[in-house]
Amino acid sequence: MSNTLPGTATRHALPSYLDAEHLGPWGIFLQQVDRVTPYLGSLARWVETLKRPKRILIVDVPIQMDDGTVAHFEGYRVQHNTSRGPGKGGVRYHQDVTLSEVMALAAWMSIKNAAVNVPFGGAKGGIRVDPKRLSLPELERLTRRYTSEIGIIIGPTKDIPAPDVNTNERVMAWMMDTYSMNVGETATGVVTGKPISLGGSLGRHEATGRGVFTVGAEAARRIGLPLAGARVAVQGLGNVGGIAAKLFAEAGARVVAVQDHAGCIYREAGLDIPALLRHVKAHGSVAGFEAAEPLAREAFWDTPCDILIPAALEQQITEANAHRIQARLIIEGANGPTTPAADDILHERGVLIVPDVIANAGGVTVSYFEWVQDFSSFFWSEQEINERLVAVMKGALDAVWQVADDKGVTLRTATFIVACERILRARDLRGLYP
Protein backbone atom coordinates (compact mmCIF):
# COMPACT_ATOMS: atom_id res chain seq x y z
CA MET A 1 0.00 0.00 0.00
CA SER A 2 1.48 3.36 -0.98
CA ASN A 3 2.22 6.00 1.64
CA THR A 4 0.15 8.95 0.42
CA LEU A 5 -1.25 12.18 1.76
CA PRO A 6 -4.98 11.81 2.43
CA GLY A 7 -7.52 14.54 1.88
CA THR A 8 -6.04 16.18 -1.21
CA ALA A 9 -6.69 15.74 -4.90
CA THR A 10 -3.07 14.93 -5.59
CA ARG A 11 -1.61 11.68 -4.25
CA HIS A 12 1.87 12.20 -2.90
CA ALA A 13 4.34 9.35 -3.01
CA LEU A 14 5.82 10.12 0.39
CA PRO A 15 9.31 9.09 1.46
CA SER A 16 9.40 6.20 3.92
CA TYR A 17 10.62 8.38 6.79
CA LEU A 18 7.32 10.35 6.84
CA ASP A 19 4.01 9.30 8.36
CA ALA A 20 1.08 10.20 6.08
CA GLU A 21 -1.20 10.56 9.10
CA HIS A 22 1.06 13.03 10.91
CA LEU A 23 2.77 15.17 8.29
CA GLY A 24 2.86 18.34 10.39
CA PRO A 25 4.09 21.55 8.71
CA TRP A 26 5.44 19.61 5.71
CA GLY A 27 1.86 18.64 4.90
CA ILE A 28 0.94 22.33 4.69
CA PHE A 29 3.72 22.93 2.19
CA LEU A 30 2.53 19.99 0.07
CA GLN A 31 -0.98 21.46 -0.03
CA GLN A 32 0.46 24.82 -1.11
CA VAL A 33 2.36 23.12 -3.93
CA ASP A 34 -0.83 21.36 -5.02
CA ARG A 35 -2.60 24.71 -5.27
CA VAL A 36 0.05 26.23 -7.50
CA THR A 37 0.63 23.23 -9.80
CA PRO A 38 -2.26 23.99 -12.23
CA TYR A 39 -0.61 27.36 -13.02
CA LEU A 40 2.85 26.01 -13.88
CA GLY A 41 2.19 24.89 -17.45
CA SER A 42 4.96 22.74 -18.95
CA LEU A 43 7.11 23.25 -15.85
CA ALA A 44 4.66 21.11 -13.87
CA ARG A 45 6.59 18.04 -15.06
CA TRP A 46 9.26 19.01 -12.52
CA VAL A 47 6.92 19.77 -9.62
CA GLU A 48 7.69 16.52 -7.78
CA THR A 49 11.19 17.88 -7.10
CA LEU A 50 9.57 20.44 -4.80
CA LYS A 51 7.97 17.64 -2.77
CA ARG A 52 11.27 15.96 -1.93
CA PRO A 53 14.07 17.76 -0.08
CA LYS A 54 17.38 17.41 -1.90
CA ARG A 55 19.29 16.47 1.24
CA ILE A 56 18.43 15.78 4.89
CA LEU A 57 21.07 15.42 7.58
CA ILE A 58 20.06 14.28 11.08
CA VAL A 59 22.86 14.46 13.61
CA ASP A 60 23.49 13.50 17.21
CA VAL A 61 24.84 16.47 19.18
CA PRO A 62 26.51 15.24 22.38
CA ILE A 63 27.94 17.83 24.79
CA GLN A 64 29.39 17.80 28.29
CA MET A 65 27.12 19.67 30.67
CA ASP A 66 28.40 21.94 33.40
CA ASP A 67 27.79 19.20 36.01
CA GLY A 68 30.03 16.76 34.13
CA THR A 69 27.28 14.64 32.61
CA VAL A 70 26.95 14.08 28.86
CA ALA A 71 23.69 15.07 27.19
CA HIS A 72 22.60 14.21 23.64
CA PHE A 73 20.48 16.48 21.47
CA GLU A 74 18.90 15.87 18.07
CA GLY A 75 19.99 18.23 15.29
CA TYR A 76 18.88 18.72 11.69
CA ARG A 77 20.01 20.45 8.50
CA VAL A 78 17.72 20.19 5.49
CA GLN A 79 18.58 21.45 2.02
CA HIS A 80 15.30 21.56 0.14
CA ASN A 81 16.38 22.83 -3.28
CA THR A 82 19.63 24.23 -4.68
CA SER A 83 18.71 24.63 -8.36
CA ARG A 84 19.16 28.43 -8.19
CA GLY A 85 22.17 28.60 -5.88
CA PRO A 86 23.54 27.49 -2.50
CA GLY A 87 21.17 26.65 0.31
CA LYS A 88 20.17 29.51 2.61
CA GLY A 89 18.17 29.43 5.80
CA GLY A 90 18.23 29.86 9.54
CA VAL A 91 18.99 27.62 12.49
CA ARG A 92 16.48 27.45 15.34
CA TYR A 93 16.89 26.12 18.86
CA HIS A 94 13.54 24.97 20.24
CA GLN A 95 12.29 22.07 22.30
CA ASP A 96 9.54 21.28 19.76
CA VAL A 97 11.68 21.24 16.61
CA THR A 98 10.82 18.28 14.37
CA LEU A 99 12.06 17.00 11.03
CA SER A 100 8.71 17.89 9.42
CA GLU A 101 9.03 21.46 10.67
CA VAL A 102 12.60 21.89 9.43
CA MET A 103 11.66 20.37 6.05
CA ALA A 104 8.78 22.82 5.67
CA LEU A 105 10.88 25.78 6.75
CA ALA A 106 13.58 24.82 4.23
CA ALA A 107 10.95 24.55 1.49
CA TRP A 108 9.47 27.94 2.38
CA MET A 109 13.00 29.35 2.15
CA SER A 110 13.23 28.01 -1.42
CA ILE A 111 10.01 29.86 -2.26
CA LYS A 112 11.04 32.99 -0.38
CA ASN A 113 14.45 33.28 -2.02
CA ALA A 114 12.97 32.79 -5.47
CA ALA A 115 10.12 35.23 -4.78
CA VAL A 116 12.54 38.11 -4.10
CA ASN A 117 14.89 36.73 -6.77
CA VAL A 118 18.05 36.32 -4.71
CA PRO A 119 20.35 33.55 -6.04
CA PHE A 120 19.86 31.06 -3.21
CA GLY A 121 18.08 27.79 -2.71
CA GLY A 122 16.21 26.89 0.45
CA ALA A 123 17.67 25.29 3.58
CA LYS A 124 16.97 25.22 7.31
CA GLY A 125 18.45 23.79 10.48
CA GLY A 126 17.52 23.20 14.06
CA ILE A 127 18.29 21.51 17.34
CA ARG A 128 15.61 19.99 19.54
CA VAL A 129 16.52 21.78 22.76
CA ASP A 130 15.15 24.37 25.16
CA PRO A 131 18.04 26.85 25.13
CA LYS A 132 16.72 28.59 28.26
CA ARG A 133 17.70 25.50 30.24
CA LEU A 134 21.34 25.73 29.14
CA SER A 135 24.08 27.90 30.57
CA LEU A 136 26.03 30.13 28.18
CA PRO A 137 29.03 27.72 28.10
CA GLU A 138 26.66 24.80 27.41
CA LEU A 139 25.01 26.78 24.61
CA GLU A 140 28.40 27.47 23.07
CA ARG A 141 29.44 23.81 23.26
CA LEU A 142 26.10 22.80 21.72
CA THR A 143 26.53 25.27 18.85
CA ARG A 144 30.12 24.29 18.12
CA ARG A 145 29.39 20.54 18.17
CA TYR A 146 26.33 21.00 15.93
CA THR A 147 28.37 23.09 13.50
CA SER A 148 31.07 20.43 13.38
CA GLU A 149 28.45 17.73 12.70
CA ILE A 150 26.78 19.61 9.82
CA GLY A 151 30.08 21.02 8.55
CA ILE A 152 30.20 18.38 5.82
CA ILE A 153 27.29 20.01 3.96
CA ILE A 154 27.55 23.73 4.79
CA GLY A 155 29.94 26.32 3.37
CA PRO A 156 30.00 29.79 1.75
CA THR A 157 29.18 28.30 -1.67
CA LYS A 158 27.14 25.29 -0.46
CA ASP A 159 24.76 26.24 2.36
CA ILE A 160 24.79 29.39 4.49
CA PRO A 161 23.03 29.29 7.90
CA ALA A 162 21.59 32.35 9.66
CA PRO A 163 19.78 33.18 12.93
CA ASP A 164 16.23 32.01 13.55
CA VAL A 165 14.13 31.29 16.65
CA ASN A 166 16.31 31.43 19.81
CA THR A 167 19.56 32.00 17.89
CA ASN A 168 21.34 35.31 17.37
CA GLU A 169 24.55 36.95 16.17
CA ARG A 170 26.56 35.43 19.03
CA VAL A 171 25.48 31.93 17.95
CA MET A 172 26.44 32.83 14.37
CA ALA A 173 29.87 33.98 15.57
CA TRP A 174 30.42 30.59 17.23
CA MET A 175 29.29 28.79 14.08
CA MET A 176 31.56 30.88 11.86
CA ASP A 177 34.54 30.36 14.14
CA THR A 178 33.97 26.60 14.41
CA TYR A 179 33.66 26.17 10.66
CA SER A 180 36.72 28.38 10.10
CA MET A 181 38.81 26.33 12.54
CA ASN A 182 37.79 23.12 10.79
CA VAL A 183 38.67 24.35 7.29
CA GLY A 184 41.84 26.13 8.39
CA GLU A 185 40.92 29.65 7.26
CA THR A 186 38.59 32.45 8.28
CA ALA A 187 35.38 31.94 6.31
CA THR A 188 33.13 34.88 7.14
CA GLY A 189 30.68 33.96 4.36
CA VAL A 190 29.66 30.64 5.90
CA VAL A 191 26.90 32.30 7.95
CA THR A 192 24.99 35.57 7.88
CA GLY A 193 23.51 37.55 10.73
CA LYS A 194 26.97 37.81 12.28
CA PRO A 195 28.29 40.63 14.50
CA ILE A 196 29.39 43.66 12.47
CA SER A 197 32.99 43.19 13.63
CA LEU A 198 33.08 39.68 12.10
CA GLY A 199 31.77 40.61 8.66
CA GLY A 200 28.13 41.18 9.53
CA SER A 201 26.05 43.71 7.64
CA LEU A 202 24.62 46.97 8.83
CA GLY A 203 20.84 46.83 8.74
CA ARG A 204 20.67 43.03 9.14
CA HIS A 205 19.19 43.13 12.66
CA GLU A 206 16.19 45.18 11.55
CA ALA A 207 15.91 43.70 8.05
CA THR A 208 13.07 41.19 8.55
CA GLY A 209 10.93 43.61 10.53
CA ARG A 210 11.68 46.39 8.04
CA GLY A 211 10.64 44.09 5.20
CA VAL A 212 7.36 43.29 7.00
CA PHE A 213 6.70 47.01 7.35
CA THR A 214 7.68 47.79 3.75
CA VAL A 215 5.36 45.28 2.08
CA GLY A 216 2.66 45.87 4.70
CA ALA A 217 2.63 49.61 4.11
CA GLU A 218 2.54 49.07 0.34
CA ALA A 219 -0.32 46.56 0.62
CA ALA A 220 -2.24 48.93 2.89
CA ARG A 221 -1.81 51.71 0.34
CA ARG A 222 -3.08 49.48 -2.45
CA ILE A 223 -6.29 48.60 -0.56
CA GLY A 224 -6.91 52.18 0.58
CA LEU A 225 -6.03 51.64 4.26
CA PRO A 226 -4.26 54.74 5.66
CA LEU A 227 -1.51 53.91 8.16
CA ALA A 228 -2.16 57.05 10.20
CA GLY A 229 -4.42 55.94 13.02
CA ALA A 230 -4.64 52.32 11.80
CA ARG A 231 -4.98 49.82 14.65
CA VAL A 232 -2.29 47.12 14.64
CA ALA A 233 -2.16 43.86 16.62
CA VAL A 234 1.12 41.96 16.83
CA GLN A 235 1.71 38.38 17.92
CA GLY A 236 5.32 37.95 19.00
CA LEU A 237 7.52 40.90 19.97
CA GLY A 238 10.90 39.43 19.16
CA ASN A 239 13.24 40.74 16.51
CA VAL A 240 10.63 40.63 13.73
CA GLY A 241 7.48 41.71 15.57
CA GLY A 242 9.29 44.28 17.67
CA ILE A 243 10.90 46.07 14.73
CA ALA A 244 7.69 45.93 12.68
CA ALA A 245 5.68 47.34 15.58
CA LYS A 246 8.21 50.14 16.05
CA LEU A 247 8.13 51.10 12.35
CA PHE A 248 4.32 51.00 12.12
CA ALA A 249 4.07 53.18 15.24
CA GLU A 250 6.56 55.65 13.76
CA ALA A 251 4.37 55.78 10.63
CA GLY A 252 1.42 56.91 12.74
CA ALA A 253 -0.34 53.59 13.34
CA ARG A 254 -1.60 52.59 16.79
CA VAL A 255 -0.28 49.26 18.04
CA VAL A 256 -3.20 48.35 20.28
CA ALA A 257 -2.47 44.71 21.22
CA VAL A 258 0.61 42.51 21.61
CA GLN A 259 0.79 38.84 22.53
CA ASP A 260 3.93 36.82 23.26
CA HIS A 261 4.82 33.49 24.88
CA ALA A 262 4.09 34.69 28.40
CA GLY A 263 1.49 37.44 28.18
CA CYS A 264 -0.99 39.49 26.20
CA ILE A 265 -1.68 43.21 26.61
CA TYR A 266 -4.04 45.81 25.15
CA ARG A 267 -4.36 49.60 25.02
CA GLU A 268 -6.98 51.18 22.78
CA ALA A 269 -5.10 54.49 22.52
CA GLY A 270 -1.97 52.65 21.34
CA LEU A 271 0.99 51.18 23.20
CA ASP A 272 4.21 53.08 23.80
CA ILE A 273 6.36 50.75 21.68
CA PRO A 274 9.83 52.06 22.69
CA ALA A 275 8.85 51.71 26.37
CA LEU A 276 7.36 48.26 25.73
CA LEU A 277 10.50 47.09 23.95
CA ARG A 278 12.59 48.25 26.93
CA HIS A 279 10.25 46.32 29.24
CA VAL A 280 10.58 43.17 27.12
CA LYS A 281 14.35 43.48 27.09
CA ALA A 282 14.40 43.79 30.89
CA HIS A 283 11.75 41.17 31.75
CA GLY A 284 11.66 38.81 28.77
CA SER A 285 7.97 39.31 28.01
CA VAL A 286 5.21 41.88 27.56
CA ALA A 287 3.59 40.50 30.73
CA GLY A 288 3.52 43.04 33.52
CA PHE A 289 3.80 46.12 31.31
CA GLU A 290 2.05 48.70 33.47
CA ALA A 291 0.98 51.12 30.72
CA ALA A 292 -1.52 48.60 29.33
CA GLU A 293 -4.25 46.27 30.51
CA PRO A 294 -3.77 42.49 30.47
CA LEU A 295 -5.76 40.53 27.91
CA ALA A 296 -6.68 36.85 27.95
CA ARG A 297 -4.60 34.93 25.42
CA GLU A 298 -7.57 33.73 23.38
CA ALA A 299 -9.10 37.21 23.38
CA PHE A 300 -6.17 38.41 21.27
CA TRP A 301 -7.85 36.98 18.16
CA ASP A 302 -10.99 39.05 18.85
CA THR A 303 -9.08 42.32 19.11
CA PRO A 304 -10.60 45.10 16.97
CA CYS A 305 -7.81 45.99 14.57
CA ASP A 306 -7.10 46.93 10.97
CA ILE A 307 -3.75 45.14 10.59
CA LEU A 308 -2.70 41.86 12.21
CA ILE A 309 0.95 40.78 12.23
CA PRO A 310 1.54 37.17 13.33
CA ALA A 311 5.28 37.14 14.08
CA ALA A 312 5.67 34.13 16.37
CA LEU A 313 5.54 30.46 15.31
CA GLU A 314 3.79 28.26 12.75
CA GLN A 315 0.08 27.38 12.61
CA GLN A 316 -1.21 30.16 14.86
CA ILE A 317 -4.14 31.18 12.64
CA THR A 318 -6.37 28.15 12.15
CA GLU A 319 -9.94 27.38 11.15
CA ALA A 320 -10.75 27.60 14.88
CA ASN A 321 -9.92 31.31 15.16
CA ALA A 322 -9.95 32.62 11.57
CA HIS A 323 -13.63 33.63 11.83
CA ARG A 324 -12.85 35.82 14.84
CA ILE A 325 -10.11 37.93 13.27
CA GLN A 326 -11.32 41.47 12.58
CA ALA A 327 -8.33 42.78 10.61
CA ARG A 328 -8.59 43.88 6.97
CA LEU A 329 -4.92 43.08 6.37
CA ILE A 330 -2.70 40.30 7.72
CA ILE A 331 1.08 40.56 7.25
CA GLU A 332 2.83 37.29 8.07
CA GLY A 333 6.04 38.02 9.93
CA ALA A 334 6.39 34.40 11.08
CA ASN A 335 6.94 31.37 8.85
CA GLY A 336 3.77 29.38 8.15
CA PRO A 337 1.51 31.09 10.71
CA THR A 338 -1.71 30.44 8.74
CA THR A 339 -3.06 26.99 7.89
CA PRO A 340 -4.56 26.37 4.42
CA ALA A 341 -8.04 25.97 5.93
CA ALA A 342 -7.72 29.34 7.69
CA ASP A 343 -6.37 30.83 4.46
CA ASP A 344 -9.59 29.87 2.68
CA ILE A 345 -11.80 31.26 5.43
CA LEU A 346 -10.00 34.60 5.49
CA HIS A 347 -10.04 34.85 1.69
CA GLU A 348 -13.80 34.26 1.67
CA ARG A 349 -14.20 37.00 4.28
CA GLY A 350 -12.23 39.46 2.14
CA VAL A 351 -9.18 39.66 4.41
CA LEU A 352 -5.99 40.32 2.46
CA ILE A 353 -3.00 38.21 3.53
CA VAL A 354 0.53 39.21 2.57
CA PRO A 355 2.13 35.77 2.91
CA ASP A 356 5.26 34.90 4.83
CA VAL A 357 7.18 33.88 1.72
CA ILE A 358 7.33 37.52 0.69
CA ALA A 359 6.44 39.49 3.84
CA ASN A 360 9.35 38.25 5.95
CA ALA A 361 11.87 37.96 3.11
CA GLY A 362 13.67 41.13 4.22
CA GLY A 363 15.97 39.10 6.43
CA VAL A 364 17.24 36.83 3.68
CA THR A 365 17.50 39.79 1.30
CA VAL A 366 19.93 41.59 3.62
CA SER A 367 21.61 38.24 4.35
CA TYR A 368 22.28 38.11 0.62
CA PHE A 369 23.75 41.62 0.84
CA GLU A 370 25.93 40.45 3.76
CA TRP A 371 27.12 37.41 1.81
CA VAL A 372 28.03 39.59 -1.19
CA GLN A 373 29.87 42.06 1.07
CA ASP A 374 31.83 39.23 2.71
CA PHE A 375 32.97 37.89 -0.67
CA SER A 376 34.03 41.32 -1.90
CA SER A 377 35.37 42.57 1.48
CA PHE A 378 33.65 45.84 0.66
CA PHE A 379 30.87 47.02 2.92
CA TRP A 380 27.94 49.35 2.26
CA SER A 381 26.40 52.05 4.43
CA GLU A 382 23.23 51.31 6.38
CA GLN A 383 21.32 53.85 4.29
CA GLU A 384 22.39 52.12 1.08
CA ILE A 385 21.41 48.72 2.47
CA ASN A 386 17.97 49.94 3.59
CA GLU A 387 17.35 51.61 0.22
CA ARG A 388 18.31 48.43 -1.63
CA LEU A 389 16.10 46.36 0.71
CA VAL A 390 13.05 48.58 0.14
CA ALA A 391 13.60 48.48 -3.63
CA VAL A 392 13.83 44.66 -3.67
CA MET A 393 10.78 44.18 -1.43
CA LYS A 394 8.59 46.62 -3.35
CA GLY A 395 9.68 45.16 -6.68
CA ALA A 396 8.86 41.64 -5.50
CA LEU A 397 5.44 42.68 -4.20
CA ASP A 398 4.68 44.49 -7.48
CA ALA A 399 5.41 41.31 -9.48
CA VAL A 400 3.34 39.13 -7.16
CA TRP A 401 0.44 41.59 -7.10
CA GLN A 402 0.37 41.65 -10.91
CA VAL A 403 0.20 37.85 -11.09
CA ALA A 404 -2.57 37.81 -8.47
CA ASP A 405 -4.59 40.30 -10.52
CA ASP A 406 -3.93 38.54 -13.85
CA LYS A 407 -4.85 35.07 -12.62
CA GLY A 408 -7.45 35.95 -9.99
CA VAL A 409 -5.62 34.19 -7.16
CA THR A 410 -4.52 35.10 -3.64
CA LEU A 411 -1.19 36.76 -2.97
CA ARG A 412 0.07 33.48 -1.48
CA THR A 413 -0.74 31.49 -4.59
CA ALA A 414 0.67 34.29 -6.76
CA THR A 415 3.92 34.26 -4.77
CA PHE A 416 4.17 30.48 -5.21
CA ILE A 417 3.52 30.85 -8.94
CA VAL A 418 6.34 33.40 -9.32
CA ALA A 419 8.75 31.43 -7.13
CA CYS A 420 7.99 27.94 -8.42
CA GLU A 421 8.34 29.09 -12.03
CA ARG A 422 11.80 30.47 -11.25
CA ILE A 423 12.89 27.35 -9.36
CA LEU A 424 11.54 24.87 -11.88
CA ARG A 425 12.79 26.81 -14.88
CA ALA A 426 16.28 26.59 -13.37
CA ARG A 427 15.74 22.84 -12.82
CA ASP A 428 14.54 22.46 -16.40
CA LEU A 429 17.50 24.36 -17.86
CA ARG A 430 20.02 22.43 -15.79
CA GLY A 431 18.48 19.07 -16.59
CA LEU A 432 19.39 15.90 -14.71
CA TYR A 433 22.94 14.70 -14.10
CA PRO A 434 23.99 12.08 -14.89
Side-chain angles (χ1 to χ4, degrees):
M1 182 176 177
S2 64
N3 193 18
T4 59
L5 174 65
T8 63
T10 300
R11 294 174 64 82
H12 297 282
L14 294 172
S16 62
Y17 53 80
L18 290 178
D19 178 359
E21 301 301 321
H22 302 93
L23 280 178
W26 180 249
I28 293 177
F29 174 74
L30 292 179
Q31 291 180 57
Q32 292 168 337
V33 172
D34 282 347
R35 293 185 179 202
V36 76
T37 301
Y39 301 97
L40 297 178
S42 62
L43 292 174
R45 70 185 289 259
W46 293 103
V47 78
E48 287 295 317
T49 63
L50 298 174
K51 301 174 187 177
R52 292 166 175 77
K54 176 181 177 63
R55 183 176 291 117
I56 296 173
L57 181 62
I58 303 174
V59 296
D60 176 41
V61 187
I63 64 166
Q64 181 169 299
M65 306 297 282
D66 292 342
D67 64 3
T69 61
V70 175
H72 292 256
F73 300 93
E74 192 171 289
Y76 309 96
R77 188 68 185 176
V78 175
Q79 294 167 352
H80 173 256
N81 188 282
T82 57
S83 294
R84 300 180 67 252
K88 186 80 188 77
V91 174
R92 64 175 48 184
Y93 292 173
H94 197 276
Q95 61 273 18
D96 296 326
V97 163
T98 64
L99 177 58
S100 170
E101 178 185 47
V102 179
M103 286 169 60
L105 291 167
W108 286 323
M109 284 303 301
S110 294
I111 302 299
K112 190 182 306 182
N113 290 328
V116 293
N117 211 17
V118 296
F120 290 138
K124 207 75 175 187
I127 303 177
R128 194 173 174 85
V129 60
D130 182 356
K132 298 180 181 65
R133 300 171 71 92
L134 300 184
S135 68
L136 192 62
E138 288 170 340
L139 191 67
E140 180 177 355
R141 292 195 288 273
L142 181 80
T143 300
R144 291 185 180 278
R145 182 63 190 233
Y146 169 72
T147 305
S148 294
E149 295 292 348
I150 68 169
I152 57 175
I153 65 168
I154 65 171
T157 59
K158 295 197 295 187
D159 181 1
I160 307 107
D164 197 78
V165 175
N166 292 327
T167 55
N168 53 26
E169 64 176 25
R170 178 165 52 189
V171 171
M172 293 304 107
W174 291 332
M175 291 191 75
M176 190 272 282
D177 180 69
T178 303
Y179 180 86
S180 297
M181 293 300 100
N182 286 338
V183 299
E185 61 184 21
T186 299
T188 57
V190 68
V191 297
T192 58
K194 304 178 295 296
I196 300 297
S197 57
L198 292 177
S201 176
L202 296 170
R204 175 62 182 85
H205 176 72
E206 292 191 344
T208 308
R210 187 175 297 280
V212 168
F213 170 75
T214 298
V215 296
E218 180 64 14
R221 182 190 68 79
R222 286 172 177 258
I223 65 171
L225 174 60
L227 287 189
R231 300 163 300 173
V232 180
V234 182
Q235 185 195 40
L237 208 69
N239 183 44
V240 179
I243 298 300
K246 172 176 171 286
L247 293 173
F248 272 103
E250 289 174 355
R254 288 183 291 142
V255 181
V256 296
V258 174
Q259 182 194 80
D260 68 9
H261 66 284
C264 189
I265 58 174
Y266 177 80
R267 185 169 185 264
E268 171 62 26
L271 296 159
D272 182 340
I273 297 302
L276 179 58
L277 292 173
R278 290 193 295 271
H279 175 87
V280 170
K281 186 175 182 179
H283 302 282
S285 168
V286 301
F289 184 61
E290 294 183 355
E293 57 186 273
L295 192 67
R297 291 193 67 80
E298 271 303 302
F300 174 79
W301 303 109
D302 301 304
T303 301
C305 64
D306 303 295
I307 300 172
L308 172 64
I309 305 174
L313 294 172
E314 303 86 36
Q315 302 183 63
Q316 297 299 298
I317 301 176
T318 67
E319 56 186 329
N321 58 24
H323 288 289
R324 296 159 53 190
I325 292 171
Q326 300 183 41
R328 288 178 57 192
L329 174 64
I330 295 176
I331 314 161
E332 294 183 338
N335 291 307
T338 309
T339 66
D343 233 4
D344 292 340
I345 293 169
L346 291 163
H347 178 61
E348 290 169 5
R349 294 182 56 216
V351 179
L352 179 68
I353 301 176
V354 183
D356 52 352
V357 283
I358 191 167
N360 67 23
V364 76
T365 301
V366 176
S367 279
Y368 168 58
F369 297 163
E370 180 178 335
W371 183 71
V372 169
Q373 291 170 90
D374 284 337
F375 270 107
S376 64
S377 297
F378 181 82
F379 291 83
W380 310 334
S381 69
E382 186 166 1
Q383 179 180 345
E384 185 176 6
I385 287 164
N386 288 339
E387 288 173 351
R388 289 175 183 263
L389 169 63
V390 169
V392 168
M393 297 297 289
K394 284 187 175 181
L397 185 65
D398 285 346
V400 166
W401 204 286
Q402 187 63 55
V403 170
D405 283 347
D406 290 346
K407 298 186 181 297
V409 296
T410 66
L411 288 181
R412 190 184 312 280
T413 299
T415 306
F416 268 73
I417 291 172
V418 170
C420 290
E421 283 183 345
R422 287 173 176 165
I423 295 168
L424 299 181
R425 185 172 295 111
R427 177 71 278 163
D428 187 50
L429 289 169
R430 290 180 63 161
L432 294 176
Y433 173 83

